[in-house]
Amino acid sequence: MDEQLPGTGQPSEPAPAAPEAPAPRALLQFENVTKRFGEFAAVEGISLDVQRGEFFALLGPSGCGKTTLMRLVAGFETPDAGRVLLDGRDLAGRPPHLRPVNMMFQSYALFPHMTVGGNIAFGLKQDRLPRREIAERVAAMLELVRLEGLDRRKPHQLSGGQRQRVALARALVKRPKILLLDEPLAALDKKLREETQGNLIALQRELGTTFVVVTHDQEEAMTLAHRIAVMDRGRIAQVGTPTQIYEQPNSRYVASFIGDINLIEGIVVRRDTTATQVDCGAVGYVRLAPPTAHAPGTRVALAVRPEKLRIAAEQPTEPSEIMMQGNVEEVGYRGDMSIYKVRTRGDLLLKVTVPNLSPAAERRARIGEPVWLSWPPDAAILLDR
């Protein structure tokens, strides 16, 4: 029943809908940014947003432009075109020491003649903060990075992991809006690197500071970051969560750069409401369900991660499985998994990884033995570039 206006007997007008709240503005924005060194375009036409409180990774091989992007934020380089905005304000013309940004270098760049406490306090002293506030902030940072009691030591008296934490504390003590991390774990051994990754994740979550890390290490980016920008020759190839980047790469480049991948080249021959059929040459015809948007005649690559493949001595009985025969060419044992390289028809070499769930798991197949490879249709994606 309609509500009535008082004293009129007439239905009341519905209350106007509340206006939608505007989407929160990204903390860091690159707007069509280009940076050249002579004829070489280190960064070309990049537009990218980093959200407040995000752990964001710039990932790519050497020379792809990721460090240049970071230096543009820090103020060590200036863009030739486009804008870099922090909290909606253009950073153009602001020198590095006046930007609410701090950078942790790969080499840590600690002052060898200063104590741990002196290194951490250095930036605060440059800003001429009161002595008491400096002492309180340094003490809080020492506790945060678990270096209590080491404030009087010099850098050469510390382990590599401890020096890394001093550099991190020095960068965070000024409470920057963004912390830039340039290959921060490259100098650490594998075990210490994994431990430090956990420390960084916990620290970022506790502080809520926006972290932007530059790395060439795919596993490091996947472990640390909420989102990743994969870079290629000065451009952004794909931006997404680690799951999106790994499970749904948008190109052969991204699929090959992130983890291991099997790429089987083919041509789309048919597409209907239930599936897409691909002619993979000597490998045969592959039917993928659900259907993709690729039109017949499109050259594609069938991309399958090694852990999605199954290997067996007998032909699989599941009719929906995609399957092919081959011979084992290489076997590698890595403790937690075994790695098989299988040569199939058409001289195609496919990689399979199998977890070792029992002591005899590594003896699943031997070099030279015939095997069957199979995978469910939804385990593969089609890439057209």
Side-chain angles (χ1 to χ4, degrees):
M1 182 175 178
D2 292 335
E3 293 184 4
Q4 296 181 348
L5 293 173
T8 66
Q10 300 296 321
S12 62
E13 291 290 332
E20 290 187 9
R25 181 174 60 199
L27 177 63
L28 178 63
Q29 298 168 285
F30 297 89
E31 293 185 348
N32 201 29
V33 172
T34 294
K35 176 62 181 179
R36 294 181 177 274
F37 297 99
E39 296 297 315
F40 174 68
V43 169
E44 189 163 8
I46 282 185
S47 294
L48 179 68
D49 289 351
V50 177
Q51 303 302 320
R52 196 178 308 273
E54 189 171 33
F55 205 138
F56 194 90
L58 296 170
L59 173 66
S62 297
C64 71
K66 58 188 186 296
T67 298
T68 299
L69 269 186
M70 178 173 281
R71 290 175 63 83
L72 287 168
V73 178
F76 302 137
E77 304 289 351
T78 56
D80 296 319
R83 301 193 303 167
V84 180
L85 294 92
L86 181 59
D87 232 353
R89 304 180 69 176
D90 194 343
L91 290 176
R94 295 182 70 179
H97 67 281
L98 293 181
R99 299 186 180 201
V101 171
N102 249 347
M103 188 167 181
M104 180 177 152
F105 296 94
Q106 180 178 345
S107 65
Y108 307 151
L110 299 177
F111 300 113
H113 63 287
M114 290 186 182
T115 63
V116 167
N119 268 280
I120 297 173
F122 179 78
L124 302 179
K125 291 179 178 178
Q126 292 292 104
D127 291 344
R128 299 185 178 181
L129 266 64
R131 184 176 300 175
R132 182 174 178 179
E133 183 177 352
I134 291 175
E136 289 173 352
R137 285 210 204 179
V138 170
M141 273 295 140
L142 287 168
E143 181 180 356
L144 192 65
V145 298
R146 296 184 295 125
L147 290 175
E148 305 99 315
L150 302 182
D151 54 307
R152 295 186 179 278
R153 291 193 185 182
K154 298 287 184 66
H156 73 273
Q157 296 173 305
L158 304 175
S159 68
Q162 289 171 331
R163 288 195 293 271
Q164 193 260 6
R165 280 182 275 157
V166 174
L168 187 60
R170 185 178 63 182
L172 286 169
V173 75
K174 291 186 67 174
R175 300 172 183 170
K177 289 186 176 180
I178 296 179
L179 177 63
L180 306 173
L181 301 152
D182 183 15
E183 301 276 6
L185 311 181
L188 305 181
D189 60 54
K190 186 177 187 297
K191 187 174 182 179
L192 186 54
R193 189 182 309 126
E194 291 174 354
E195 179 184 335
T196 306
Q197 286 173 358
N199 293 338
L200 281 175
I201 292 168
L203 188 62
Q204 193 272 337
R205 187 186 300 121
E206 182 175 346
L207 294 175
T209 304
T210 303
F211 282 21
V212 178
V213 61
V214 158
T215 181
H216 66 276
D217 188 316
Q218 302 96 319
E219 288 187 13
E220 185 171 292
M222 301 272 285
T223 301
L224 293 174
H226 299 131
R227 286 193 305 143
I228 300 169
V230 183
M231 296 190 64
D232 178 28
R233 292 173 291 184
R235 297 181 180 274
I236 300 293
Q238 186 174 356
V239 179
T241 65
T243 301
Q244 290 168 340
I245 296 288
Y246 188 81
E247 299 288 352
Q248 299 170 326
N250 65 2
S251 65
R252 291 171 173 85
Y253 170 77
V254 174
S256 299
F257 190 77
I258 302 293
D260 290 323
I261 196 78
N262 294 300
L263 295 177
I264 305 171
E265 299 294 334
I267 299 176
V268 175
V269 293
R270 184 180 177 184
R271 185 188 68 198
D272 56 31
T273 58
T274 60
T276 297
Q277 191 173 38
V278 182
D279 179 1
C280 294
V283 173
Y285 287 86
V286 173
R287 184 176 173 83
L288 300 178
T292 68
H294 300 91
T298 306
R299 290 192 172 275
V300 294
L302 191 69
V304 193
R305 296 288 181 188
E307 69 274 13
K308 310 283 188 183
L309 288 169
R310 304 184 183 113
I311 184 170
E314 303 296 330
Q315 183 174 357
T317 57
E318 178 57 53
S320 65
E321 292 272 299
I322 298 168
M323 60 188 75
M324 58 187 65
Q325 284 182 290
N327 290 82
V328 177
E329 196 164 284
E330 293 181 30
V331 180
Y333 178 70
R334 300 235 180 130
D336 60 336
M337 70 173 63
S338 290
I339 301 170
Y340 300 89
K341 291 186 179 179
V342 178
R343 184 76 61 179
T344 70
R345 289 180 300 171
D347 202 34
L348 184 66
L349 189 64
L350 298 181
K351 185 175 183 179
V352 187
T353 57
V354 181
N356 291 328
L357 303 179
S358 68
E362 72 272 17
R363 297 193 293 274
R364 187 184 300 267
R366 291 183 169 86
I367 293 175
E369 289 183 346
V371 292
W372 283 87
L373 301 182
S374 64
W375 66 89
D378 61 356
I381 63 172
L382 291 186
L383 302 174
D384 56 13
R385 62 188 181 96

